[in-house]
């Protein structure tokens, strides 16, 4: 097995297990959402992606986001905040600013 595949599997399984513990998902639901998060992150590294997530107030939000260095403005300064692995940050191309969503609330990738 390649180390890249092992690392992906480790990331998916740990993310899925955190959904089970924190959000009360079944393991099946958790794995589906974890794989969707991994696929979305991979797609956003190369292009702008349309996706949907559930906001904290319960409504669904349509977002166009990217993590591609060429499509984002240059990041200045240092980030001394603690990392939160339950949220995914992305650059919103409609609002032209960084945003985030809870990984457990990802609905689908368009």
């Amino acid at each position: 097995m390649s180390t890249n595949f092992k690392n992906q599997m480790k990331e998916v399984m740990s993310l899925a297990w955190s959904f089970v513990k924190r959000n009360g998902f079944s393991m099946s639901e958790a794995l589906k959402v974890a794989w969707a998060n991994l696929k979305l992150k991979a797609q956003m590294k190369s292009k702008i992606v349309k996706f949907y997530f559930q906001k904290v107030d319960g409504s669904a939000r349509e977002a166009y986001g990217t993590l591609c260095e060429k499509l984002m403005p240059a990041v200045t300064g240092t980030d001394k905040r603690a990392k939160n692995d339950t949220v995914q940050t992305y650059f919103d191309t409609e609002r032209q600013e960084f945003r985030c969503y809870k990984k457990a609330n990802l609905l689908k990738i368009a």
Side-chain angles (χ1 to χ4, degrees):
M1 268 188 199
S2 70
T3 56
N4 186 29
F5 178 74
K6 284 183 182 179
N7 290 337
Q8 284 181 335
M9 288 301 295
K10 182 179 178 181
E11 185 179 346
V12 167
M13 293 306 288
S14 64
L15 189 57
W17 185 240
S18 72
F19 293 157
V20 169
K21 289 191 295 189
R22 291 182 182 145
N23 303 93
F25 284 20
S26 69
M27 194 58 175
S28 173
E29 288 175 306
L31 283 168
K32 287 177 189 173
V33 176
W35 273 114
N37 273 286
L38 188 72
K39 289 176 186 175
L40 177 62
K41 187 175 177 182
Q43 286 181 13
M44 283 198 297
K45 286 184 180 181
S46 63
K47 62 182 180 178
I48 297 171
V49 182
K50 178 180 175 182
F51 60 97
Y52 298 89
F53 64 91
Q54 185 176 1
K55 296 188 340 185
V56 176
D57 67 3
S59 61
R61 166 135 155 55
E62 176 185 74
Y64 293 88
T66 188
L67 293 173
C68 183
E69 298 284 332
K70 294 180 265 181
L71 302 172
M72 296 188 309
V75 179
T76 58
T78 58
D79 187 17
K80 296 180 181 171
R81 293 184 287 176
K83 302 289 183 228
N84 186 351
D85 56 346
T86 62
V87 298
Q88 175 65 53
T89 58
Y90 66 95
F91 184 74
D92 191 326
T93 56
E94 290 181 316
R95 309 240 180 170
Q96 294 296 310
E97 58 187 27
F98 284 93
R99 303 213 156 219
C100 66
Y101 67 91
K102 290 184 179 181
K103 290 180 180 179
N105 292 346
L106 180 63
L107 297 175
K108 71 176 185 174
I109 303 169

